[in-house]
Amino acid sequence: MSQDTQKQAVADAAIEYVQVGDVIGVGTGSTADCFIRSLARIKGKLDGAVASSEATASQLRQLGIPVLDLNQVGSLPLYVDGADEATRNRHLIKGGGGALTREKIVAQASEKFICIADQSKLVDRLGPFPLPIEVISMARSMVAREMVRHGGQPELRDGFTTDNGHLILDIRGLDILNPVELERQINQIPGVVTVGLFALRPANLLLIGTDSGVETI
Ligand code: 5RP
């Protein structure tokens, strides 16, 4: 099964968790795009959606799905999004698409976070994928130096500004033995808006596309 077929298979599997009258959180990226395409088939079931990026908001609007402000809806029953890496503990690296801050907000506001991914994303230990950190511009060099102290090699994402008007540092070379502790430590660095580690609030369910079908973790 190709990577694209696996992405569509997990997107279709996630649709089964949508209930009539739900307002759900919708993520960002190519796997989330597959989910948005699947949502089109059942959009009548939804009362609306909260988007994790401007790109997702515009796709949802094009489908005629009302895009709501999180402040107006409170907690969400369900959030569906992809990941750059995932472990069987359901810890994730996210932010390859730069939407990590809004993704973490929507995940935190959701009762159930379903992460959908093709099998290339499943790893034994997080770290081969460069860890994205959204930073306030004036703190970028200081945060980069702190990450060197953590054993990483930071690189400013060239020409990229997030939906929130901030920058992204991508940190290569981290071997993430304790994702919960590392997320806590990076959260403490002044100037860090969000780190793309999702371990303090992991996914509730991972749907992984494999050659033999969808594996639920
Ligand atoms: C965006 C994300 C995405 O979920 C992540 O980058 C995975 O994207 P894709 O489904 O295209 O592989 O975190 O900020």
Side-chain angles (χ1 to χ4, degrees), residues 28-31 81-84 94-100 103 121:
T28 300
S30 58
T31 318
D81 198 358
D84 299 300
K94 290 184 51 54
L100 60 164
E103 292 174 339
K121 308 291 184 60

Side-chain angles (χ1 to χ4, degrees), residues 179-190:
V180 170
E181 186 51 29
L182 186 62
E183 184 177 356
R184 275 208 189 97
Q185 287 172 0
I186 297 175
N187 281 342
Q188 299 302 318
I189 305 172

Side-chain angles (χ1 to χ4, degrees), residues 38-55:
S38 307
L39 267 185
R41 296 197 308 264
I42 58 137
K43 62 183 181 187
K45 262 185 162 185
L46 284 180
D47 277 4
V50 173
S52 71
S53 64
E54 298 298 334

